[in-house]
Every structure is written in C-alpha cells, then in structure tokens.
Amino acid sequence: MSEVRVRFAPSPTGPLHIGGVRTALYNYLFAKNKGGKFILRIEDTDQARFVEGAEQYIIESLKWCGIEFDESVVVGGEFGPYKQSERKAMYLPYAEQLVKEGFAYYAFDSSEELTAMRERMKAAGVPSPQYNAVTRTTMQNSLALSEDEVTKRRQAGEAYVIRIKMPRNEEVKLNDIIRGWVVVNTNNMDDKVIFKSDGMPTYHLANVVDDYLMKISHVIRGEEWLPSAPLHVLLYRYLGWEDVMPQFAHLPLILKPDGNGKLSKRDGDRLGFPVFPTEWMNPETKEISSGYRESGYIKEAFINMLSFLGWNPGTTQEIFSMEELIESFSLERVGKAGAKFDFDKTRWFNQQYLRAKSKEELAQDLQLILKENGIEAEDNFVETVCEQLKERATFVKDMWEEGKYYFLSPTSYDEKTIRKKWKEDTPKYVSELKNRLAELADFSSESIEIEFKKYLEENELGMGKLLPAFRVCLTGLGMGPSLFDIASLLGKEETIKRMETALEKIN
RNA sequence: GGCCCGUUCGUCUAGUCAGGUCAGGACGCCAGGUUUUCAUCCUGGUAACAGGGGUUCGAAUCCCCUACGGGCUACCA
C-alpha cells in the first residue's frame, strides 16, 4: 500500500474549536499510527471571511496540543505551497478542462438572477430550488446560450462562474471508512459552483485538486462534509483521478452537553467551560474567549479527553499518553453517532494527570501562579505544599486557591468553625498548647502530633475538641490536609505566631 | 420540505460486521467504610438496548416500518 498522507485543512475564519482540534488530532493519530505524513493546508479561498490572526492561532494552538505537522505553511514540504490563496493559479486549468470535456459549464447569472430563479421555483411549489438539470436551461450559461453569445460575453469580460454539470439519475457511491457505503442519486444534487467569479475555486474543487496534487491518501473530516462527498467523488472521476482517489472517513460531530445540536462557542459561555484550546481575542470586537490552556488544563489531559469523544480503544484503559494514542488509534473504532461534550469527565481527566505529576513539576507550575500573586517562596517549600495538596486538587490553581494559608497568615477565620468549635475554654487550651509547642525541639509532623495528643490526654480532651480550633488558628479554615503536616511545614516560629494572632483576633 | 447520517445507563461508551454468559467499564449521582475535618481512597448501589413488526430454537446484534435526533440544502468552508 502506498504511503499514508493525511491533511488537516481548516479555514482561517476564526479560532479552532474543540471539534476542529479533534479532527486534527484524529488525522494526526492516524498518520502517525500508519507511519505516514500529516499535513496542514490553509483553505483560504473565501476572502470575505478571512479573520486576522486566525491562521496563526490554528498553528499555535495545535502546537500547544502537541500536534505537529510534517508539511505545512510553517515547515514547508515538497508539495507546497500549503495555502490555497498561494495556489490560486493552479485551479482554473482543471476547471476549464472539465468545461472542455463537458463535465462543467460557464454561468453568467448575477446574484439577483439567481434569487429571482429561486423565488420563481418556490412560487411554483419547489421548496428548495436548485441550479440543476431542470433549471439550468432557463439561465445564463454556456449550456443554454449560443456559442457566439458565450464567446462575446467572455470577451467582454463579463463575470462568470464555472458550475459542474450534474448528470441525470446516476447513483454515486462511496465507501466511507466509518459509515460504510453511502449512496446518493445525482437527481438530488445540484450544479455546484466549483470556480468563483473572483478567480478562486470553491472548497469542492480546491479540495479535490489539492488532495490529488498533495497525494492525500485519506480524507478524515467532520460529518458536515458527508453530503458533499458524492460531489467530490464525481470531481475525481471527471478529472480522471478516480483510481487514486483518497479514502473517506467522516467523523461524528461533538454535540452540546445539554439539549441538542452541535457544540458552539455560546454553549461554553452559557455552561462555563472553554470551547477553544487556547485563549482567543476577536480582533474586531476585542472580545476574549477563554481557552483550556489559560483555564489551567494540562494539555495531555485535554488531548486524552478529546480523543475519547468519539473513539475508544475497546479496552478499559482510559488514560493514554499521545504515544499510546498513536499506538492504539484506528478509524475502525471511531463511533458513528455524535458525542455530547461532558465537562465533568474533562475535569476528571485533568485530575488524573495532575496526580501523575511529580511535586517538582507541580511546584514549577504553582510558582508561576504564586508570582502572579506577588508571592515569593522557596522551591523546597512549594514542593512540599504540592505534595500535601495534590490529592485534593483538580487544577494547579486549586492548590493556590485552597492553600493560600501556606503563604499568607489568615486574615479571617471561618465563622462556622468558630461558632461550633471555639468555646469559652478554647483560648485557654490553645494558649497552653502554644506553650507546649514552643518548647518542642523536634518540629516534625510526627513530633507535633505526639505532643498534641499527649496534651489532649492530659486534659482529657477529644480530638474534635481542640483540633478544629488549632486548624482555624493556622489556616483560618475548617478543613484541609493534615494539620500536623501544615504546622511542621510552616515551622515553629510561624505556627506560634499564628496562634498568638488568632488568640488576639478571635476573642 | 428534500437528501444524507445516526439512535445501548443522565453522559462517554464495550458488545453489532462473523445472532446464543445476570448487557461490561468509566464519569456523575447515592450509601457505607477510612480520615481530626474536607478532599482523596476503598466497598457497594443506581441506571440503558427509541418503538413496532418480522427472520430464527434464540435478536442489542440481521431485515422492514415508525418515531426522534443531527448534518447538508450559498459564487462559506
């Protein structure tokens, strides 16, 4: 079998949302699994929808995801250019070849004329009028007009498009890797524009020509392309490339977590989760959309989550590194039905990855957050904090938000704990405990615990009587990790100081 | 409306192609245990073959119909 070459072909019309990232990911995994090449092709044939910065965004956000291209606008390759606007001159000859061979034709209709035709057909009872075998005879095109008229118009420089001449009553079949045989009758297809009046091809032609020229072996794309796949098959056939036509695989869509319909940016805003891999600022409105990266997601967790939205390995293993994904991935195991996005599961994946990280790695990330908050701390200290906190956190930022007391003395004391656990005799106990701890030579967690328990015993107190009060003195909170660990890490001096402060403030 | 695709616990899904174990796992949720507390962790529980017809000794699995959902229906991709 010839070399596997797949491409991810986005339009630079905005940021890539997670559906697009997943399409890129599956292409990447498939290519790497087969030892093939993965190509990025920018499909910017629609100048009107171009968005500043979108191409850069696509490249950089995929890079963050760990998805790298073998050929692209950045790294080049022997099948370039990799941007359709730079390939502009290549498409017209193919379109004209189709006209010459009778598979396509010139059409001069203005948008007003097209609208008029549609209105006319609707009035006549056709719900969705098409430019097809029935209507084309009434329009301004090289099939209805005389040859002289066509030549005259073309020489006069009149704007024209090239449309495919859809045959009557032919079954077009394609064998989709995910869906099996898909059959469509050409009577249900229209004479799609393949070359626009602005000199650019439409997606359909550009896509087929480029996939052919770039020797693409498999087209893996979203399900929204399935209805036009038969058109592409016809294009390959008419261009004489059917024997090297790529295999198709149409991926199921990612759906809204609630209700129905495909996932959109709105859903993320509404339900409070990112739909973009990295943060995006709309260049026009300056509106900022949050990204997984900025929200504190570990990229491996993000990728792992995405890979499972529509694919599964058929085993019970759920945690997969990129290498393992490459190893296990196959298009045969991609599902057919759309998958509702599950935000809880996404958080769970992040938690799993967080735990797998070493305290050193976590400390590095936490230091970044600490710096943002104007806190300087020794690496060793931060590492121990991470050690104590990582089992309770989903994100690195949780360790800051739930563990501020490691770095700052409490400024307030949890009311509920005070109300329930700070009794009349509590100050006396805390004060005595403080004096006992002050004399402790070994301020290790174990030693503090032993001393604490000894004190409880001597005074015939239970854990619940004094420990919550002790905790609130040190952390201001009613819950958290082992208090003896916290005290030990804070050190004797700080511990004593916090107890004194609490005694003053709480009373 | 037309065309195409789809439908297993609330969610992601295994099982469907080669019909035959109480339909398995994970997330979530609930309960119990562990823990000074909260979280973690452990144990257990919850809950599904869209409906109806066939074919068959036997159907989640094969066929048909219906319903529901999705996509497409541009000189956008």
Coordinates of all heavy atoms in Angstrom, one line a residue, chain A residues 386-467:
Chain A
C386 N 2.8 21.2 47.4 CA 2.2 20.5 46.3 C 2.0 19.0 46.8 O 1.0 18.4 46.4 CB 3.1 20.5 45.1 SG 3.1 22.1 44.3
E387 N 3.0 18.5 47.5 CA 2.8 17.1 47.9 C 1.6 17.0 48.8 O 0.8 16.0 48.7 CB 4.1 16.8 48.8 CG 4.5 15.4 48.7 CD 5.9 15.2 49.4 OE1 6.3 16.1 50.2 OE2 6.6 14.3 49.0
Q388 N 1.4 18.0 49.7 CA 0.3 17.9 50.6 C -1.1 18.2 50.0 O -2.1 17.7 50.4 CB 0.5 18.9 51.8 CG 1.7 18.5 52.7 CD 1.9 19.5 53.9 OE1 1.0 20.2 54.2 NE2 3.0 19.4 54.5
L389 N -1.0 18.9 48.9 CA -2.3 19.4 48.3 C -2.7 18.7 47.0 O -3.8 18.8 46.6 CB -2.1 20.9 48.0 CG -2.9 21.9 48.7 CD1 -3.4 21.5 50.1 CD2 -2.2 23.3 48.8
K390 N -1.8 17.9 46.4 CA -2.1 17.5 45.0 C -3.3 16.5 45.0 O -4.0 16.5 44.0 CB -0.9 16.9 44.3 CG -0.4 15.6 44.7 CD 0.9 15.2 44.0 CE 0.7 13.9 43.2 NZ 2.0 13.5 42.6
E391 N -3.4 15.7 46.0 CA -4.5 14.7 46.0 C -5.9 15.4 46.1 O -6.9 14.7 45.9 CB -4.3 13.7 47.2 CG -3.1 12.8 47.1 CD -3.2 11.8 46.0 OE1 -4.2 11.0 46.0 OE2 -2.3 11.8 45.1
R392 N -5.9 16.6 46.5 CA -7.2 17.3 46.7 C -7.5 18.2 45.6 O -8.5 18.9 45.6 CB -7.2 18.1 48.0 CG -6.0 17.7 48.9 CD -5.9 18.6 50.2 NE -7.1 18.9 50.8 CZ -7.6 18.1 51.8 NH1 -7.1 17.0 52.1 NH2 -8.7 18.5 52.4
A393 N -6.6 18.4 44.6 CA -6.7 19.4 43.6 C -7.1 18.8 42.2 O -6.8 17.6 41.9 CB -5.5 20.2 43.5
T394 N -7.8 19.6 41.5 CA -8.1 19.2 40.1 C -7.2 20.0 39.1 O -6.7 19.5 38.1 CB -9.6 19.5 39.7 OG1 -10.4 18.7 40.6 CG2 -9.9 19.1 38.3
F395 N -7.0 21.3 39.5 CA -6.1 22.1 38.8 C -5.0 22.7 39.7 O -5.1 22.7 40.9 CB -6.9 23.3 38.2 CG -8.0 23.0 37.4 CD1 -9.3 23.0 37.9 CD2 -7.8 22.6 36.1 CE1 -10.4 22.6 37.0 CE2 -8.9 22.2 35.2 CZ -10.2 22.2 35.7
V396 N -3.9 23.1 39.0 CA -2.8 23.6 39.8 C -3.3 24.9 40.6 O -2.9 25.1 41.7 CB -1.6 24.0 38.9 CG1 -0.5 24.8 39.7 CG2 -1.0 22.7 38.3
K397 N -4.2 25.6 39.9 CA -4.6 26.8 40.6 C -5.5 26.5 41.9 O -5.6 27.4 42.7 CB -5.4 27.7 39.6 CG -6.7 27.1 39.1 CD -7.5 28.2 38.3 CE -8.9 27.8 37.9 NZ -8.9 27.0 36.7
D398 N -6.0 25.3 41.9 CA -6.7 24.9 43.2 C -5.8 25.0 44.4 O -6.2 25.3 45.5 CB -7.3 23.5 43.1 CG -8.4 23.4 42.0 OD1 -8.9 24.5 41.6 OD2 -8.7 22.3 41.6
M399 N -4.5 24.6 44.1 CA -3.6 24.5 45.2 C -3.3 25.9 45.8 O -3.0 26.0 46.9 CB -2.3 23.8 44.7 CG -2.6 22.4 44.3 SD -1.1 21.3 44.2 CE -0.4 22.0 42.7
W400 N -3.3 26.9 44.9 CA -3.2 28.3 45.4 C -4.5 28.7 46.1 O -4.4 29.2 47.2 CB -2.8 29.2 44.2 CG -3.1 30.6 44.5 CD1 -4.0 31.4 43.8 CD2 -2.5 31.5 45.5 NE1 -4.0 32.7 44.3 CE2 -3.1 32.8 45.4 CE3 -1.6 31.3 46.5 CZ2 -2.8 33.9 46.2 CZ3 -1.3 32.4 47.3 CH2 -1.9 33.6 47.2
E401 N -5.6 28.5 45.4 CA -6.8 29.0 46.0 C -7.2 28.3 47.3 O -7.7 28.9 48.2 CB -7.9 28.8 44.9 CG -8.0 30.0 44.0 CD -8.6 29.7 42.6 OE1 -9.3 28.6 42.6 OE2 -8.4 30.4 41.7
E402 N -6.9 27.0 47.4 CA -7.3 26.3 48.6 C -6.1 26.2 49.6 O -6.3 25.7 50.7 CB -7.8 24.9 48.3 CG -9.1 24.9 47.7 CD -9.5 23.6 47.0 OE1 -8.9 22.6 47.4 OE2 -10.2 23.7 46.0
G403 N -5.0 26.8 49.2 CA -3.8 26.6 50.1 C -3.1 27.9 50.3 O -1.9 28.0 50.6
K404 N -3.8 29.0 50.2 CA -3.2 30.4 50.4 C -2.5 30.5 51.8 O -1.5 31.2 51.9 CB -4.3 31.5 50.3 CG -4.7 31.7 48.9 CD -5.7 32.9 48.8 CE -6.2 33.1 47.4 NZ -7.3 33.9 47.3
Y405 N -3.1 29.8 52.8 CA -2.6 29.9 54.1 C -1.1 29.4 54.3 O -0.5 29.6 55.2 CB -3.5 29.1 55.1 CG -3.8 27.7 54.7 CD1 -2.9 26.7 54.9 CD2 -5.0 27.4 54.0 CE1 -3.2 25.4 54.5 CE2 -5.3 26.2 53.6 CZ -4.4 25.1 53.8 OH -4.7 23.9 53.4
Y406 N -0.6 28.6 53.3 CA 0.7 28.2 53.3 C 1.7 29.4 53.2 O 2.8 29.4 53.6 CB 1.1 27.2 52.2 CG 0.6 25.8 52.5 CD1 -0.6 25.3 51.9 CD2 1.3 24.9 53.3 CE1 -1.0 24.0 52.1 CE2 0.8 23.6 53.6 CZ -0.3 23.2 52.9 OH -0.8 21.9 53.2
F407 N 1.1 30.4 52.5 CA 2.0 31.5 52.1 C 1.6 32.8 52.8 O 2.4 33.7 52.9 CB 1.9 31.7 50.6 CG 2.1 30.5 49.8 CD1 1.1 29.7 49.3 CD2 3.4 30.0 49.6 CE1 1.3 28.5 48.6 CE2 3.7 28.8 48.9 CZ 2.6 28.1 48.4
L408 N 0.4 32.9 53.3 CA -0.1 34.1 53.9 C -0.8 33.7 55.2 O -1.5 32.7 55.3 CB -1.1 34.8 53.0 CG -0.7 35.2 51.6 CD1 -1.9 35.6 50.8 CD2 0.3 36.4 51.7
S409 N -0.6 34.5 56.2 CA -1.3 34.3 57.5 C -2.8 34.6 57.3 O -3.1 35.4 56.5 CB -0.8 35.3 58.6 OG 0.5 35.1 58.8
P410 N -3.6 33.8 58.0 CA -5.0 34.0 57.7 C -5.4 35.4 58.1 O -4.9 36.0 59.1 CB -5.7 33.0 58.7 CG -4.6 32.4 59.5 CD -3.3 32.7 58.9
T411 N -6.3 36.0 57.3 CA -6.8 37.4 57.7 C -8.2 37.3 58.2 O -8.7 38.3 58.8 CB -6.8 38.3 56.4 OG1 -7.5 37.6 55.4 CG2 -5.4 38.6 55.9
S412 N -8.8 36.2 58.1 CA -10.2 36.0 58.7 C -10.3 34.5 59.1 O -9.5 33.7 58.7 CB -11.2 36.3 57.6 OG -11.2 35.4 56.6
Y413 N -11.2 34.3 59.9 CA -11.4 32.9 60.5 C -12.8 32.4 60.2 O -13.8 33.1 60.4 CB -11.1 32.9 62.0 CG -9.7 33.4 62.3 CD1 -9.4 34.7 62.5 CD2 -8.6 32.5 62.2 CE1 -8.1 35.2 62.7 CE2 -7.3 32.9 62.4 CZ -7.0 34.2 62.7 OH -5.8 34.7 62.9
D414 N -12.8 31.2 59.6 CA -14.1 30.6 59.2 C -15.1 30.7 60.3 O -15.0 30.1 61.4 CB -13.8 29.1 58.8 CG -15.1 28.5 58.3 OD1 -15.6 29.0 57.2 OD2 -15.6 27.6 58.9
E415 N -16.2 31.4 60.0 CA -17.2 31.6 61.0 C -17.9 30.4 61.6 O -18.1 30.3 62.8 CB -18.3 32.5 60.4 CG -18.2 34.0 60.8 CD -19.3 34.8 60.1 OE1 -20.5 34.5 60.4 OE2 -18.9 35.6 59.3
K416 N -18.2 29.5 60.6 CA -18.9 28.3 61.1 C -18.1 27.5 62.0 O -18.6 27.0 63.0 CB -19.2 27.5 59.8 CG -20.3 26.4 60.0 CD -20.6 25.7 58.7 CE -21.0 24.3 59.0 NZ -20.8 23.4 57.8
T417 N -16.8 27.4 61.7 CA -15.9 26.6 62.6 C -15.8 27.3 64.0 O -15.8 26.7 65.0 CB -14.5 26.5 62.0 OG1 -14.6 26.0 60.7 CG2 -13.6 25.5 62.8
I418 N -15.7 28.6 64.0 CA -15.6 29.4 65.2 C -16.9 29.2 66.0 O -16.8 28.9 67.2 CB -15.5 30.9 64.9 CG1 -14.2 31.2 64.1 CG2 -15.6 31.7 66.2 CD1 -13.0 31.0 64.8
R419 N -18.0 29.3 65.4 CA -19.3 29.1 66.1 C -19.4 27.8 66.7 O -19.8 27.6 67.9 CB -20.4 29.3 65.1 CG -21.7 29.7 65.7 CD -22.8 30.1 64.8 NE -22.4 30.3 63.4 CZ -22.7 29.5 62.4 NH1 -23.4 28.3 62.6 NH2 -22.4 29.8 61.1
K420 N -18.9 26.7 66.0 CA -19.1 25.4 66.5 C -18.0 24.9 67.4 O -18.2 24.1 68.3 CB -19.3 24.4 65.3 CG -20.7 24.6 64.6 CD -20.8 23.8 63.4 CE -21.0 22.3 63.6 NZ -21.2 21.6 62.3
K421 N -16.8 25.4 67.2 CA -15.7 24.8 67.8 C -14.9 25.7 68.8 O -14.0 25.3 69.5 CB -14.7 24.2 66.8 CG -15.3 23.1 65.9 CD -15.6 21.9 66.7 CE -16.2 20.8 65.9 NZ -16.6 19.6 66.7
W422 N -15.2 27.0 68.7 CA -14.4 27.9 69.6 C -15.3 28.3 70.8 O -16.1 29.2 70.8 CB -14.1 29.2 68.7 CG -13.0 30.0 69.4 CD1 -13.2 31.0 70.3 CD2 -11.6 29.9 69.1 NE1 -12.0 31.5 70.7 CE2 -11.0 30.9 70.0 CE3 -10.8 29.1 68.3 CZ2 -9.6 31.0 70.0 CZ3 -9.4 29.3 68.3 CH2 -8.8 30.3 69.2
K423 N -15.1 27.5 71.8 CA -15.9 27.7 73.0 C -15.2 28.6 74.0 O -14.1 29.0 73.8 CB -16.2 26.3 73.7 CG -16.8 25.3 72.7 CD -18.2 25.7 72.3 CE -18.9 24.6 71.5 NZ -20.0 25.0 70.7
E424 N -15.8 28.7 75.1 CA -15.3 29.6 76.2 C -13.9 29.2 76.7 O -13.0 30.1 76.9 CB -16.3 29.6 77.4 CG -16.4 31.0 78.1 CD -17.5 30.9 79.1 OE1 -18.6 30.5 78.8 OE2 -17.2 31.3 80.3
D425 N -13.7 27.9 76.8 CA -12.4 27.4 77.3 C -11.4 27.2 76.2 O -10.2 26.9 76.5 CB -12.6 26.2 78.1 CG -13.4 25.1 77.4 OD1 -13.8 25.4 76.2 OD2 -13.6 24.0 77.9
T426 N -11.7 27.4 75.0 CA -10.8 27.2 73.9 C -9.5 28.0 74.0 O -8.4 27.5 73.8 CB -11.5 27.3 72.5 OG1 -12.7 26.6 72.5 CG2 -10.6 27.0 71.4
P427 N -9.6 29.3 74.2 CA -8.4 30.1 74.3 C -7.4 29.6 75.3 O -6.2 29.6 75.1 CB -8.9 31.5 74.7 CG -10.4 31.5 74.2 CD -10.9 30.1 74.4
K428 N -7.9 29.1 76.4 CA -7.0 28.6 77.4 C -6.2 27.4 76.9 O -5.0 27.3 77.0 CB -7.8 28.1 78.7 CG -7.0 27.6 79.8 CD -7.8 27.0 81.0 CE -8.3 25.7 80.7 NZ -8.0 24.6 81.6
Y429 N -7.0 26.4 76.2 CA -6.3 25.3 75.6 C -5.3 25.7 74.6 O -4.2 25.1 74.5 CB -7.3 24.3 75.1 CG -8.2 23.7 76.1 CD1 -9.6 23.6 75.9 CD2 -7.7 23.1 77.3 CE1 -10.5 23.1 76.9 CE2 -8.5 22.6 78.3 CZ -9.9 22.5 78.1 OH -10.7 22.0 79.0
V430 N -5.7 26.6 73.7 CA -4.9 27.0 72.6 C -3.6 27.6 73.1 O -2.5 27.3 72.6 CB -5.6 27.9 71.6 CG1 -4.6 28.6 70.6 CG2 -6.7 27.2 70.9
S431 N -3.8 28.4 74.1 CA -2.7 29.1 74.7 C -1.7 28.1 75.3 O -0.5 28.2 75.2 CB -3.2 30.1 75.8 OG -2.1 30.7 76.3
E432 N -2.2 27.1 76.0 CA -1.4 26.1 76.7 C -0.7 25.3 75.6 O 0.5 25.0 75.7 CB -2.2 25.2 77.6 CG -2.5 25.9 78.9 CD -3.4 25.0 79.8 OE1 -3.6 23.8 79.5 OE2 -4.0 25.6 80.7
L433 N -1.4 24.9 74.6 CA -0.9 24.1 73.5 C 0.3 24.9 72.9 O 1.3 24.3 72.5 CB -1.9 23.8 72.5 CG -1.5 23.0 71.2 CD1 -1.0 21.6 71.6 CD2 -2.6 22.9 70.2
K434 N 0.1 26.2 72.7 CA 1.1 27.0 72.1 C 2.4 26.9 72.9 O 3.5 26.8 72.3 CB 0.6 28.4 72.0 CG 1.5 29.4 71.3 CD 1.1 30.8 71.6 CE 1.4 31.1 73.1 NZ 1.2 32.5 73.4
N435 N 2.2 27.0 74.2 CA 3.4 27.0 75.0 C 4.1 25.7 75.0 O 5.4 25.6 75.0 CB 3.0 27.3 76.5 CG 2.5 28.7 76.6 OD1 2.9 29.6 75.8 ND2 1.7 29.0 77.6
R436 N 3.3 24.6 74.9 CA 3.9 23.3 74.8 C 4.7 23.1 73.5 O 5.8 22.6 73.4 CB 2.8 22.2 74.8 CG 2.0 22.2 76.1 CD 2.8 21.4 77.2 NE 2.9 20.0 76.9 CZ 2.0 19.1 77.5 NH1 1.1 19.5 78.4 NH2 2.1 17.9 77.3
L437 N 4.1 23.6 72.4 CA 4.7 23.5 71.0 C 6.0 24.4 71.0 O 7.0 24.0 70.3 CB 3.8 24.0 69.9 CG 2.6 23.0 69.7 CD1 1.7 23.6 68.6 CD2 3.0 21.6 69.4
A438 N 6.0 25.5 71.7 CA 7.1 26.4 71.7 C 8.3 25.7 72.3 O 9.5 26.1 71.9 CB 6.8 27.7 72.5
E439 N 8.1 24.7 73.1 CA 9.2 24.1 73.7 C 9.7 22.8 73.0 O 10.6 22.2 73.4 CB 8.9 23.8 75.2 CG 9.1 25.0 76.0 CD 8.5 24.8 77.4 OE1 8.6 23.7 77.9 OE2 8.1 25.8 78.0
L440 N 9.0 22.5 71.9 CA 9.3 21.3 71.2 C 10.6 21.5 70.4 O 10.7 22.4 69.6 CB 8.1 21.0 70.2 CG 7.8 19.6 69.9 CD1 7.5 18.8 71.2 CD2 6.5 19.6 69.0
A441 N 11.5 20.6 70.6 CA 12.8 20.7 69.9 C 12.6 20.2 68.5 O 13.1 20.8 67.5 CB 13.8 19.9 70.6
D442 N 12.0 19.1 68.3 CA 11.8 18.5 67.0 C 10.4 18.9 66.5 O 9.4 18.5 67.0 CB 11.9 17.0 67.1 CG 11.5 16.3 65.8 OD1 11.4 17.0 64.8 OD2 11.2 15.1 65.9
F443 N 10.4 19.8 65.4 CA 9.1 20.3 65.0 C 8.6 19.5 63.7 O 8.0 20.1 62.8 CB 9.2 21.8 64.7 CG 7.9 22.5 64.9 CD1 7.4 22.6 66.2 CD2 7.2 23.0 63.9 CE1 6.2 23.3 66.5 CE2 6.0 23.7 64.1 CZ 5.5 23.8 65.4
S444 N 8.9 18.2 63.7 CA 8.4 17.4 62.6 C 6.9 17.1 62.8 O 6.4 17.3 64.0 CB 9.1 16.1 62.6 OG 8.8 15.3 63.7
S445 N 6.2 16.7 61.8 CA 4.8 16.4 61.8 C 4.5 15.4 62.9 O 3.6 15.6 63.7 CB 4.4 15.9 60.5 OG 3.0 15.5 60.5
E446 N 5.4 14.3 62.9 CA 5.1 13.3 63.9 C 5.3 13.8 65.3 O 4.5 13.4 66.2 CB 6.1 12.1 63.7 CG 6.0 11.4 62.3 CD 6.6 12.3 61.1 OE1 7.4 13.2 61.4 OE2 6.2 12.0 60.0
S447 N 6.3 14.5 65.5 CA 6.6 15.0 66.9 C 5.5 16.0 67.4 O 5.0 15.9 68.5 CB 7.9 15.8 66.8 OG 8.1 16.6 67.9
I448 N 5.0 16.8 66.5 CA 3.9 17.7 66.8 C 2.6 16.9 67.2 O 1.9 17.2 68.2 CB 3.5 18.7 65.7 CG1 4.7 19.6 65.3 CG2 2.3 19.5 66.0 CD1 4.6 20.3 64.0
E449 N 2.4 15.9 66.4 CA 1.2 15.0 66.6 C 1.3 14.4 68.0 O 0.3 14.3 68.7 CB 1.1 14.0 65.5 CG -0.2 13.1 65.7 CD -0.5 12.3 64.4 OE1 0.2 12.4 63.4 OE2 -1.5 11.5 64.5
I450 N 2.4 13.8 68.3 CA 2.6 13.2 69.6 C 2.4 14.1 70.7 O 1.6 13.8 71.7 CB 4.0 12.5 69.7 CG1 4.1 11.3 68.7 CG2 4.3 12.1 71.1 CD1 5.5 10.8 68.5
E451 N 3.0 15.3 70.6 CA 2.8 16.3 71.7 C 1.4 16.7 71.8 O 0.9 16.9 72.9 CB 3.7 17.5 71.3 CG 3.8 18.6 72.4 CD 4.5 18.0 73.7 OE1 5.3 17.0 73.5 OE2 4.3 18.6 74.8
F452 N 0.7 16.9 70.7 CA -0.7 17.4 70.7 C -1.5 16.3 71.4 O -2.4 16.7 72.2 CB -1.1 17.5 69.2 CG -2.6 18.0 69.0 CD1 -2.8 19.4 69.1 CD2 -3.6 17.1 68.9 CE1 -4.1 19.8 69.0 CE2 -4.9 17.6 68.7 CZ -5.2 18.9 68.8
K453 N -1.3 15.1 71.0 CA -2.1 14.0 71.6 C -1.9 13.8 73.1 O -2.7 13.5 73.9 CB -1.9 12.7 70.9 CG -2.6 12.7 69.5 CD -2.5 11.4 68.7 CE -3.3 11.4 67.5 NZ -2.9 10.4 66.5
K454 N -0.6 14.1 73.4 CA -0.2 14.0 74.9 C -1.0 15.0 75.6 O -1.6 14.8 76.7 CB 1.3 14.2 75.0 CG 1.8 13.5 76.2 CD 3.3 13.3 76.1 CE 4.1 14.6 76.3 NZ 5.6 14.4 76.1
Y455 N -1.0 16.2 75.1 CA -1.7 17.3 75.7 C -3.2 17.0 75.9 O -3.8 17.3 76.9 CB -1.6 18.6 74.9 CG -2.3 19.8 75.5 CD1 -1.8 20.4 76.7 CD2 -3.5 20.2 75.0 CE1 -2.5 21.5 77.3 CE2 -4.2 21.3 75.6 CZ -3.7 21.9 76.7 OH -4.4 22.9 77.3
L456 N -3.8 16.4 74.8 CA -5.2 16.1 74.9 C -5.5 15.1 76.0 O -6.4 15.2 76.8 CB -5.7 15.4 73.5 CG -5.8 16.3 72.3 CD1 -6.3 15.5 71.1 CD2 -6.7 17.5 72.5
E457 N -4.6 14.1 76.1 CA -4.8 13.1 77.0 C -4.7 13.6 78.5 O -5.6 13.3 79.3 CB -3.7 12.0 76.8 CG -4.1 10.6 77.2 CD -3.0 9.6 76.7 OE1 -2.8 9.6 75.5 OE2 -2.4 9.0 77.6
E458 N -3.7 14.5 78.7 CA -3.5 15.0 80.0 C -4.7 15.8 80.4 O -5.0 15.9 81.6 CB -2.3 15.9 80.0 CG -1.0 15.1 80.0 CD 0.2 16.0 79.7 OE1 0.1 17.3 79.8 OE2 1.3 15.5 79.3
N459 N -5.4 16.5 79.5 CA -6.5 17.3 79.8 C -7.9 16.6 79.6 O -8.9 17.2 79.6 CB -6.5 18.6 79.1 CG -5.3 19.5 79.5 OD1 -5.4 20.2 80.5 ND2 -4.2 19.3 78.9
E460 N -7.8 15.3 79.2 CA -9.0 14.5 79.0 C -9.9 15.2 77.9 O -11.1 15.4 78.1 CB -9.7 14.3 80.3 CG -8.9 13.4 81.2 CD -9.7 13.1 82.5 OE1 -10.6 14.0 82.9 OE2 -9.5 12.1 83.1
L461 N -9.2 15.5 76.8 CA -9.9 16.2 75.7 C -9.9 15.2 74.5 O -9.0 14.4 74.3 CB -9.2 17.5 75.3 CG -9.2 18.6 76.3 CD1 -8.2 19.7 75.8 CD2 -10.5 19.1 76.6
G462 N -11.0 15.4 73.7 CA -11.0 14.6 72.4 C -10.4 15.4 71.3 O -10.3 16.6 71.4
M463 N -10.1 14.7 70.2 CA -9.5 15.4 69.0 C -10.4 16.5 68.6 O -10.0 17.6 68.3 CB -9.4 14.4 67.9 CG -8.1 13.6 67.8 SD -6.7 14.6 67.3 CE -5.7 13.4 66.5
G464 N -11.7 16.2 68.5 CA -12.7 17.1 68.0 C -12.8 18.4 68.8 O -13.3 19.4 68.4
K465 N -12.3 18.3 70.0 CA -12.5 19.5 70.9 C -11.5 20.6 70.6 O -11.8 21.7 70.6 CB -12.2 19.0 72.4 CG -12.3 20.1 73.4 CD -13.7 20.6 73.7 CE -13.7 21.7 74.7 NZ -14.9 22.4 74.8
L466 N -10.2 20.1 70.3 CA -9.2 21.1 70.1 C -8.7 21.2 68.6 O -8.3 22.3 68.2 CB -8.0 20.8 71.0 CG -6.9 21.9 71.2 CD1 -7.5 23.2 71.5 CD2 -6.0 21.5 72.2
L467 N -8.7 20.1 67.9 CA -8.0 20.2 66.6 C -8.6 21.2 65.6 O -7.9 22.0 65.0 CB -8.0 18.8 65.9 CG -6.9 18.8 64.9 CD1 -5.5 18.6 65.5 CD2 -7.2 17.7 63.8

